[in-house]
Amino acid sequence: MTRSVHRLAKWTLESDRSKPSQRRIECASCQATSVESPGQLGPDRWALEHAGATDHREYLEIGIAHVRATPVNEP
C-alpha cells in the first residue's frame, strides 16, 4: 500500500496587469451593446447616444478583469 501526505496550500487572487481589463455596456431594453473597450469613454458615449436615439434608459455594465491565482509563500 502506498501512503501519501496531502498539504493544503493557501492561495491568493491578484490582478494580472499584463492583460488589460475590458468593459462594455448593454441596453437592458433591446440587448444592443457597445464595443468592448479598455477605457470608460467609448462604452459610456455609446450608451448616451443610444439613450438619445431610442429613449432606452437602463443599461448593464459588463466588465472583464484578468486575475491570477498564486500560492502564498508561508514562512
Side-chain angles (χ1 to χ4, degrees):
M1 177 194 313
T2 304
R3 291 185 159 200
S4 59
V5 176
H6 296 276
R7 181 177 73 87
L8 296 178
K10 292 184 181 180
W11 291 77
T12 186
L13 286 177
E14 300 172 330
S15 293
D16 185 349
R17 299 196 187 272
S18 69
K19 298 176 183 165
S21 297
Q22 294 292 315
R23 181 176 178 268
R24 78 173 193 259
I25 293 182
E26 179 179 295
C27 177
S29 298
C30 71
Q31 288 73 48
T33 62
S34 70
V35 296
E36 286 190 359
S37 171
Q40 192 168 350
L41 185 58
D44 284 358
R45 180 177 288 147
W46 174 86
L48 294 172
E49 289 173 357
H50 186 74
T54 63
D55 203 33
H56 296 168
R57 297 177 183 214
E58 294 187 27
Y59 296 85
L60 300 171
E61 180 179 44
I62 301 160
I64 299 170
H66 296 271
V67 295
R68 179 180 300 276
T70 54
V72 175
N73 293 327
E74 296 185 60

